[in-house]
Amino acid sequence: MVIQTHNLTKIYQFGRKGAFKALDNLNLSVKEGEIFGYLGPNGAGKTTTIRMMLDIIRPTSGRIEILGMDAQRDSVALHHHIGFMPGELNLWKNEKAINIIKYFGRVRGNLDMAYVKELAERLQFDMSKKFREYSSGNKRKLGLILALMHRPQLLILDEPTSGLDPLMQQTFNQLMREIREEGRTVFLSSHVLSEVQAICDRVGILRGGLLRAVENVEDLTHANFRWITIQYDGHIPDLSQVAGVSEVTKVNGTTVKFRFSGDFDPLLRTLTQADYIRHFKTQEPTLEEIFLAFYDDGQNVMNDNTKQEVAI
Amino acid sequence: MTGTIFVETLRRSWRQMIYWGLGFAIYAIYPFLMVPNEASLETLKDITDGFNPEFLAAFGIDSTSFSSVAGLVGYSFFGYLLLMISIFSVIAGLNISANEEDNGIMDMVLSLPVKRWQVIVEKLFAYIVMLIGILAIAFMGLMFGSSLSQIEVDITTTRFLEGIVNVIPGAVLVMCFTAFIGVLVRQRSLATAIAGSFVVISYLVDGIGRAANNDTADTIRQISIFAHYNGTKILETGLTWGTVIMLSVIAGVLAVGTIELFKRRDIAV
């Protein structure tokens, strides 16, 4: 295993304001050579987990092993093999990107400028500007270069694609696949299911500080559904009998909204009987909805009572 | 890699060191130009003789302050040098950890293969080197100013150098205090307020203590770093090594406290 957490718990103390349990008995394993998606809504505990992996904050109890080393005790040795990109990249605003890259390279002791240039070209990133001059998308690109430039064995990326345009997201996905092909491991957090589906092998779902599930992405995809909204003129056939359709709601006299899963063919054949369809919109479910759909409202949830090691 | 943070801190800040140094060099030249001749010095002395001695003591002025060039430079340059260089010390102290933590940069720094103590120690040394650089430029200003003086300057180069060295322990102490507060409170704005208040209150306690001119006030005054600085008389008395060592030890204790606290605690979000 590349990453193993053992009963990892983090409680933030706020003095007289009390305490907040951000992470509760997390037992998680990430295998070598996989892209692992760490999925959860904002505030679920994803960044807390990542910051503990990097020894930026310390666990209240439990421990983390990364590449066979203790994340806290062996942090310096470990950080030679880890590339990290935070959710929001903040660096020295008056420094040029090239100087920041060189600085990171010098601290790590292995600056390969040819590889840095190759990464910058692939990401279409101009390294000559000062950090404050970059857009949020370009800051993400710099973050990626800083994380990848030393060819780490493990990449830890917090919400890596937020701010990247679709074209760059494709480049990012390609880079991640290449890293996987080289046998290296990627641990990325996200709150966007589609982003995780595109590249991840397995997904861990976190909610309220508890690891609710670890699944193969295909399994999660099969549990997928979407919301469909149709605006029509005249007659609309009865959709409640169509396979995969549920929770049909008439929003007003001309709009119907329903939940849909499975193949589109029966639905489309039924809809051809409608008089006139003015507007057809599909919407991805929220992570919460997917979670509830997949786990029968949480009945199969892994919680701290089971204390089950989540390793597949 | 060891030393990289030290070098990088210097690389980023050497221009500031030059600007600060030039500012203090100009300030060092000023007392020599302020009094163009012996008669002007006499006039200054006559004016101050008319004031209440306790009132003058609050500002570090006594009967000898304007009776010689050494007294004049001691009062108008060295007397305020620690207070002024403390502004740099507070900024430097904040740069050691509080600024990067408050800006969210520390997460990236600590994701690199560096030890936490290494971040504090290398930066602290870099800013001490910068402080010495600033004072070295100020020293050159003093030497240049003395060459411009119309009055005979009866101060040796060694004494000027002692005056400059005398500032270092106090300035480093303020720097370490600010760094410690920065690590303790984790917020730049609060750390700035506390460190700034520490300097100002310390200066006022010294001034009021001197003006009060009694044993109790003098005892209370000893808690101020300015009471141990002896800037106005440094050109006459020279360095007091006991004071230098005492201030250096306190600075060292604060530095160790900063490192230990930073090693043990969570980095703020």
Side-chain angles (χ1 to χ4, degrees):
Chain A
M1 292 296 167
V2 170
I3 301 174
Q4 267 195 304
T5 68
H6 306 276
N7 299 321
L8 194 66
T9 299
K10 180 67 185 177
I11 300 168
Y12 291 110
Q13 300 289 347
F14 299 110
R16 288 177 192 164
K17 291 177 190 168
F20 170 69
K21 192 181 261 189
L23 208 60
D24 191 1
N25 272 305
L26 178 75
N27 290 292
L28 176 73
S29 299
V30 177
K31 293 183 284 191
E32 190 175 1
E34 74 171 334
I35 302 177
F36 188 92
Y38 200 44
L39 209 53
N42 292 330
K46 303 188 297 290
T47 302
T48 295
T49 311
I50 287 174
R51 294 182 92 221
M52 281 195 283
M53 284 177 180
L54 291 157
D55 193 35
I56 294 165
I57 56 174
R58 271 67 187 263
T60 306
S61 62
R63 62 189 181 88
I64 307 172
E65 259 181 73
I66 298 177
L67 300 166
M69 291 183 259
D70 186 276
Q72 193 175 332
R73 195 187 56 229
D74 309 316
S75 65
V76 176
L78 198 52
H79 290 183
H80 279 289
H81 308 290
I82 295 178
F84 166 60
M85 183 167 83
E88 193 183 335
L89 184 69
N90 292 301
L91 289 164
W92 305 273
K93 59 184 181 188
N94 290 320
E95 279 300 312
K96 287 181 178 173
I98 185 70
N99 288 337
I100 295 171
I101 289 167
K102 283 180 180 172
Y103 172 49
F104 274 50
R106 282 196 298 271
V107 174
R108 286 173 178 144
N110 56 350
L111 180 60
D112 180 353
M113 273 315 286
Y115 186 54
V116 167
K117 282 176 186 165
E118 185 191 320
L119 286 170
E121 267 176 40
R122 288 187 69 177
L123 292 166
Q124 295 168 19
F125 179 70
D126 175 8
M127 297 186 283
S128 64
K129 290 182 182 173
K130 287 182 177 175
F131 184 72
R132 63 178 152 85
E133 294 169 345
Y134 290 116
S135 65
S136 59
N138 275 318
K139 283 178 183 169
R140 304 304 293 163
K141 291 178 188 177
L142 174 60
L144 274 173
I145 292 170
L146 293 171
L148 293 167
M149 60 187 269
H150 57 301
R151 295 185 175 89
Q153 278 175 265
L154 170 65
L155 266 169
I156 298 177
L157 311 172
D158 197 359
E159 310 271 357
T161 56
S162 60
L164 286 183
D165 60 56
L167 212 60
M168 274 306 126
Q169 282 201 20
Q170 290 303 313
T171 309
F172 169 79
N173 291 351
Q174 185 56 35
L175 273 167
M176 293 303 109
R177 288 188 194 105
E178 286 172 20
I179 286 165
R180 176 172 54 194
E181 280 162 22
E182 290 167 16
R184 296 190 277 154
T185 311
V186 180
F187 180 91
L188 66 88
S189 80
S190 177
H191 62 272
V192 184
L193 182 66
S194 57
E195 180 180 292
V196 168
Q197 280 175 326
I199 49 169
C200 291
D201 303 303
R202 287 195 307 145
V203 175
I205 298 177
L206 197 69
R207 194 173 69 160
L210 283 167
L211 182 68
R212 303 294 179 152
V214 175
E215 289 297 334
N216 289 313
V217 165
E218 295 84 35
D219 297 338
L220 204 64
T221 309
H222 289 147
N224 206 347
F225 68 92
R226 57 192 65 233
W227 291 103
I228 294 180
T229 309
I230 298 171
Q231 194 183 6
Y232 58 92
D233 286 345
H235 162 77
I236 186 102
D238 180 17
L239 298 171
S240 59
Q241 302 305 312
V242 180
V245 172
S246 61
E247 298 179 35
V248 181
T249 318
K250 287 201 172 175
V251 179
N252 52 41
T254 59
T255 304
V256 65
K257 186 177 178 184
F258 55 92
R259 185 173 145 156
F260 180 75
S261 57
D263 296 335
F264 267 95
D265 189 71
L267 175 66
L268 293 176
R269 286 182 194 282
T270 308
L271 285 174
T272 54
Q273 297 162 23
D275 283 347
Y276 189 85
I277 292 176
R278 188 170 293 282
H279 189 71
F280 185 96
K281 188 175 91 174
T282 71
Q283 198 178 355
E284 271 199 7
T286 63
L287 185 61
E288 195 79 352
E289 288 167 337
I290 284 279
F291 171 78
L292 291 172
F294 194 82
Y295 290 99
D296 304 319
D297 212 357
Q299 283 174 27
N300 298 324
V301 165
M302 289 176 161
N303 56 32
D304 55 340
N305 297 326
T306 62
K307 296 222 169 111
Q308 185 176 346
E309 177 85 359
V310 182
I312 297 168
Chain B
M1 198 174 272
T2 310
T4 312
I5 297 170
F6 172 80
V7 173
E8 180 68 12
T9 308
L10 283 181
R11 186 193 68 76
R12 282 194 202 146
S13 311
W14 68 269
R15 281 190 195 87
Q16 291 169 38
M17 182 183 79
I18 302 287
Y19 300 147
W20 276 92
L22 286 175
F24 280 108
I26 292 165
Y27 176 47
I29 296 167
Y30 167 72
F32 296 101
L33 302 180
M34 188 174 79
V35 183
N37 49 46
E38 298 275 0
S40 307
L41 200 61
E42 280 297 317
T43 309
L44 263 177
K45 191 172 182 315
D46 290 344
I47 293 168
T48 51
D49 282 348
F51 284 95
N52 183 321
E54 279 78 24
F55 172 75
L56 292 175
F59 299 95
I61 301 170
D62 63 18
S63 57
T64 63
S65 294
F66 299 117
S67 60
S68 66
V69 176
L72 180 70
V73 175
Y75 163 69
S76 56
F77 178 70
F78 286 109
Y80 293 100
L81 186 57
L82 179 59
L83 181 67
M84 294 176 87
I85 202 94
S86 288
I87 300 168
F88 168 81
S89 294
V90 169
I91 293 169
L94 291 170
N95 280 339
I96 287 169
S97 80
N99 282 346
E100 290 190 352
E101 194 166 354
D102 208 51
N103 291 334
I105 300 173
M106 197 56 88
D107 278 23
M108 283 301 281
V109 173
L110 293 181
S111 76
L112 296 168
V114 290
K115 290 191 171 75
R116 288 194 181 195
W117 65 260
Q118 198 183 333
V119 175
I120 301 290
V121 168
E122 291 197 22
K123 284 183 150 194
L124 181 61
F125 274 113
Y127 284 111
I128 291 173
V129 167
M130 277 180 64
L131 174 75
I132 293 167
I134 290 167
L135 292 172
I137 298 169
F139 173 72
M140 285 187 263
L142 270 177
M143 299 311 293
F144 181 64
S146 68
S147 72
L148 296 177
S149 178
Q150 301 297 309
I151 313 169
E152 190 189 339
V153 180
D154 53 349
I155 311 162
T156 62
T157 306
T158 311
R159 233 350 112 74
F160 273 136
L161 201 57
E162 283 184 67
I164 290 291
V165 171
N166 186 43
V167 186
I168 295 172
V172 172
L173 192 154
V174 172
M175 195 186 293
C176 292
F177 177 81
T178 310
F180 179 75
I181 293 297
V183 168
L184 191 70
V185 301
R186 309 176 196 199
Q187 288 171 35
R188 178 178 39 192
S189 51
L190 186 58
T192 310
I194 294 171
S197 302
F198 168 73
V199 172
V200 171
I201 291 168
S202 196
Y203 185 75
L204 290 177
V205 164
D206 178 52
I208 293 165
R210 270 187 280 141
N213 196 23
N214 62 51
D215 288 348
T216 311
D218 201 53
T219 306
I220 294 169
R221 194 178 143 242
Q222 299 308 310
I223 62 166
S224 164
I225 51 167
F226 291 93
H228 305 282
Y229 167 54
N230 187 32
T232 52
K233 298 288 172 206
I234 187 68
L235 294 178
E236 294 158 39
T237 62
L239 269 179
T240 311
W241 284 104
T243 306
V244 170
I245 291 166
M246 183 189 75
L247 293 176
S248 302
V249 167
I250 295 169
V253 169
L254 285 168
V256 170
T258 305
I259 292 162
E260 289 303 316
L261 196 58
F262 191 65
K263 270 163 65 178
R264 281 167 171 74
R265 71 160 173 80
D266 287 351
I267 301 301
V269 180

